[in-house]
């Protein structure tokens, strides 16, 4: 199964209805862009399975890989190394999988800028916001009005990454 999704466009469905088959999702990107792929619906059989993914640049270089499952359905794509058409291969192995995918540009926040409101819409979704800082700059991050659903959830996690993608700090 193959489908194409456009950043900021409508969602697309990818059905991998035969075990040991691969699904292919194509998207166009611009060098330096940060994009996030959300699987807004996700079904896998057996339900305990996961789907391996690999993201390839227009030149065929592997830029990211990992797994998606019912409780982790967001892929934060690394900064795109070049402009062109990217390929994401989804491999459910012995399982079958069906999902709806949407891709969007990550939003930037301005230091000392206006607050932004964001909503995490489904289980397994996460958000990535970007900002520009300088070496040695001392910054704080404020979060207000946080509501967790279900109310039994005990915490949210905030991770701050360095420009090279490594973790600077994790707050729980």
């Amino acid at each position: 199964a193959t489908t194409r999704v456009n950043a900021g466009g409508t969602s697309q469905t990818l059905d991998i209805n035969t075990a040991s088959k691969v699904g292919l999702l194509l998207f166009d990107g611009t060098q330096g862009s940060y994009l996030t792929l959300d699987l807004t619906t996700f079904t896998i059989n057996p339900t305990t399975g996961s789907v391996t993914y690999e993201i390839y640049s227009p030149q065929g270089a592997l830029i990211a890989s990992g797994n998606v499952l019912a409780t982790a359905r967001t892929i934060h794509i690394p900064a795109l190394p070049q402009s062109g058409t990217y390929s994401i291969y989804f491999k459910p192995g012995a399982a079958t999988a069906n999902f709806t995918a949407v891709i969007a540009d990550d939003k930037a926040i301005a230091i000392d800028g206006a607050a932004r409101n964001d909503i995490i819409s489904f289980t397994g979704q996460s958000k990535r916001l970007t900002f520009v800082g300088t070496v040695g700059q001392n910054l704080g991050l404020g979060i207000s009005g946080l509501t967790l659903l279900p109310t039994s959830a005990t915490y949210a996690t905030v991770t701050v990454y360095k420009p090279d993608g490594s973790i600077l700090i994790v707050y729980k």
Side-chain angles (χ1 to χ4, degrees), residues 40-52:
T40 57
T41 63
F42 182 85
T43 305
I44 189 166
N45 187 15
T47 57
T48 56
S50 67
V51 177
T52 300

Side-chain angles (χ1 to χ4, degrees), residues 111 131-139 161-164 168:
I111 295 173
F131 67 92
V132 177
T134 58
V135 173
Q137 192 172 18
N138 188 6
L139 299 173
Y161 294 90
K162 298 177 187 177
D164 67 4
L168 177 65

Side-chain angles (χ1 to χ4, degrees), residues 26 63 67 84 89 92 111 114 118 129 132 136 152 154 158:
L26 301 171
I63 63 166
N67 293 295
Y89 291 90
I111 295 173
D118 277 297
L129 303 172
V132 177
S152 61
T154 57
V158 175

Side-chain angles (χ1 to χ4, degrees), residues 1-4 11-15 25 41 98-101:
T2 301
T3 193
R4 177 178 283 276
S11 59
Q12 297 294 323
T13 300
L14 187 62
D15 297 317
L25 185 79
T41 63
N98 309 86
F99 50 83
T100 303

Side-chain angles (χ1 to χ4, degrees), residues 12-76:
Q12 297 294 323
T13 300
L14 187 62
D15 297 317
I16 309 168
N17 293 320
T18 305
S20 301
K21 295 292 183 178
V22 174
L24 174 60
L25 185 79
L26 301 171
F27 71 91
D28 292 325
T30 303
Q31 182 177 10
S33 294
Y34 285 93
L35 302 173
T36 293
L37 178 73
D38 281 319
L39 304 181
T40 57
T41 63
F42 182 85
T43 305
I44 189 166
N45 187 15
T47 57
T48 56
S50 67
V51 177
T52 300
Y53 69 86
E54 296 174 344
I55 304 174
Y56 290 90
S57 73
Q59 298 299 319
L62 179 67
I63 63 166
S65 62
N67 293 295
V68 290
L69 53 151
T71 57
R73 299 174 7 209
T74 297
I75 300 171
H76 296 295

